[in-house]
Amino acid sequence: MNLTVSVDHNQLLDVLLNVGLIRPVFIWGAPGIGKSAIVEEFAQRLGMECVSLLGSQLAPEDIIGVPQIRDGRSEFCPPRAIARSEPYVLFLDELNACSSEVQKAFYSLIHERRIGEYRLPEGSIVVGAGNRAEDNAITRPMSSALVNRMFHVELKASPRLWLEWAARSGIHPYVYDYICSRPDHLWSKPPKTEEPFSTPRSWHMLSDAIQSYGEHISEDDLRILAAGSLCPRHATQFLAYVRQVRSQYALDKILAGTQPWPSAPEERDVLYFLAQSLRARLVKELPPERGKLTGDSRALVLRAKDRLVELADLSLEIARMAVTPEEGQELPDWFVVELFRDLPRLADKRNK
């Protein structure tokens, strides 16, 4: 499904509370970004029960039921999970992972809210969801007839909204503070190989695991938990962040010049993380045009240039990494030009 517009958690709730009341909605999105949780929240908002069916595990008879003979005639008896007397939200998860036969069984359920002679209670709502083909999940082509029976919307992960939820939900401080500093690490593209990848769900899982171990969790245990929950790059960066916290290095102190960059060989991963954090800070706070600099951002530019010179003295490789473009982390062109123009002068000033 190619959609030109995507929505965040709050926008999807609005769609469900408006469109979902009158038409079936299909939610597209990567694994682990909260599709099921939003549907459950939607049902709670309406004061209705949410009944979930997992499309990848269904057979046609799980939808239309099995025939029975009554008064000399066959009659299909819908399954208990669907045949209810009170209105409810029917959530068809992984709908596009169904076989074509199961998809056919959903046609009348989605379009007319009925199965054979049984009709869903008045006021019932049908919501579908599924992963995209590029997510390397189980997906099957949906027939045009089924696609055309639903309103389609694509959910994206929103770091801001996730952090608001995390603050209310007791997410471990290591996880919460890390995503505050690296919101771009909340989600990573599902890999083609069988390995963990980062999603809001996997960060929640990591938080639960850390809390289960307790406050004195060892670095080795943290390494195991991070490697089992996140993509390898994010796991490495998360470990470095925790080491930075435990060693009491702080980017704000380094930028202010009151604390040096970590220089010990065993702290190289912490140095790498702090350099990554500096780039993320500059990307977030520097405007794309130099003329839009504020007083605070001008001061940040001056301090960042000095600290990058110091970083280059420790590790030219990590200093280059800090200003090298990365997907979603490109520094403003004017800053990069100024930095390379001013580096010799700053280096001479430092050596005097």
Side-chain angles (χ1 to χ4, degrees):
M1 175 62 65
N2 294 316
L3 295 174
T4 57
V5 177
S6 57
V7 300
D8 62 28
H9 177 284
N10 289 347
Q11 291 170 320
L12 177 54
L13 267 180
D14 286 342
V15 169
L16 291 173
L17 289 168
N18 289 278
V19 180
L21 300 181
I22 57 174
R23 287 287 187 270
V25 173
F26 189 97
I27 306 166
W28 297 87
I33 62 171
K35 300 186 292 294
S36 303
I38 292 176
V39 175
E40 290 175 1
E41 182 178 349
F42 165 61
Q44 290 173 1
R45 291 276 188 98
L46 299 178
M48 299 169 68
E49 184 180 3
C50 181
V51 176
S52 298
L53 298 179
L54 199 59
S56 59
Q57 298 179 5
L58 294 176
E61 56 269 24
D62 295 323
I63 308 301
I64 62 176
V66 294
Q68 293 186 3
I69 304 299
R70 292 182 180 174
D71 299 327
R73 297 180 180 180
S74 64
E75 178 181 325
F76 278 88
C77 297
R80 187 186 299 272
I82 295 176
R84 294 167 179 258
S85 57
E86 298 294 328
Y88 66 99
V89 175
L90 178 58
F91 179 41
L92 308 175
D93 199 6
E94 297 186 8
L95 177 55
N96 60 334
C98 300
S99 65
S100 57
E101 290 78 13
V102 174
Q103 289 186 23
K104 290 176 185 177
F106 278 129
Y107 283 7
S108 60
L109 180 61
I110 291 171
H111 186 55
E112 301 172 346
R113 290 180 168 82
R114 70 173 178 85
I115 305 169
E117 297 179 1
Y118 170 78
R119 290 186 175 275
L120 297 182
E122 187 69 27
S124 294
I125 297 168
V126 179
V127 180
N131 301 316
R132 307 161 303 178
E134 63 263 32
D135 296 323
N136 297 314
I138 299 175
T139 59
R140 291 186 173 92
M142 292 175 65
S143 71
S144 58
L146 185 55
V147 168
N148 197 237
R149 280 171 162 80
M150 307 187 80
F151 176 87
H152 297 267
V153 63
E154 182 175 9
L155 176 66
K156 64 181 179 182
S158 167
R160 178 181 62 82
L161 294 176
W162 188 86
L163 285 168
E164 289 178 4
W165 167 85
R168 302 189 304 267
S169 304
I171 293 297
H172 194 279
Y174 285 164
V175 172
Y176 181 85
D177 292 342
Y178 181 82
I179 297 300
C180 282
S181 66
R182 294 305 306 264
D184 54 309
H185 285 189
L186 179 62
W187 181 83
S188 64
K189 187 175 180 179
K192 295 182 179 180
T193 56
E194 296 169 335
E195 64 182 43
F197 58 100
S198 305
T199 66
R201 178 167 57 199
S202 66
W203 283 107
H204 189 183
M205 181 166 56
L206 175 60
S207 169
D208 287 347
I210 295 173
Q211 289 174 336
S212 180
Y213 271 73
E215 61 178 319
H216 300 299
I217 183 172
S218 69
E219 187 174 316
D220 285 341
D221 287 334
L222 273 170
R223 182 177 292 105
I224 293 170
L225 299 184
S229 306
L230 312 173
C231 74
R233 185 166 66 91
H234 293 175
T236 300
Q237 289 287 286
F238 177 75
L239 247 292
Y241 163 76
V242 174
R243 290 193 66 193
Q244 171 220 316
V245 170
R246 289 180 167 181
S247 61
Q248 299 185 338
Y249 280 102
L251 181 60
D252 285 338
K253 292 180 180 179
I254 292 173
L255 277 171
T258 59
Q259 187 178 61
W261 292 103
S263 57
E266 63 271 16
E267 295 177 318
R268 191 172 179 84
D269 57 342
V270 178
L271 179 66
Y272 183 86
F273 173 79
L274 288 166
Q276 288 269 36
S277 299
L278 173 59
R279 176 170 61 186
R281 172 82 65 87
L282 294 173
V283 169
K284 179 181 178 181
E285 297 187 16
L286 297 186
E289 300 174 12
R290 198 186 195 290
K292 295 182 179 180
L293 281 172
T294 64
D296 289 342
S297 54
R298 288 178 189 276
L300 175 61
V301 169
L302 295 174
R303 293 196 303 268
K305 288 178 181 178
D306 285 335
R307 301 295 87 78
L308 284 166
V309 171
E310 295 171 358
L311 179 60
D313 285 344
L314 286 174
S315 171
L316 185 58
E317 174 191 358
I318 293 180
R320 285 174 175 168
M321 176 279 302
V323 295
T324 300
E326 182 181 277
E327 184 178 355
Q329 290 282 309
E330 286 81 17
L331 291 165
D333 291 339
W334 63 263
F335 176 79
V336 176
V337 170
E338 282 191 12
L339 177 65
F340 285 102
R341 182 195 66 196
D342 295 343
L343 275 178
R345 176 180 59 80
L346 293 170
D348 287 343
K349 176 183 176 183
R350 173 175 167 76
N351 292 330
K352 286 182 179 179

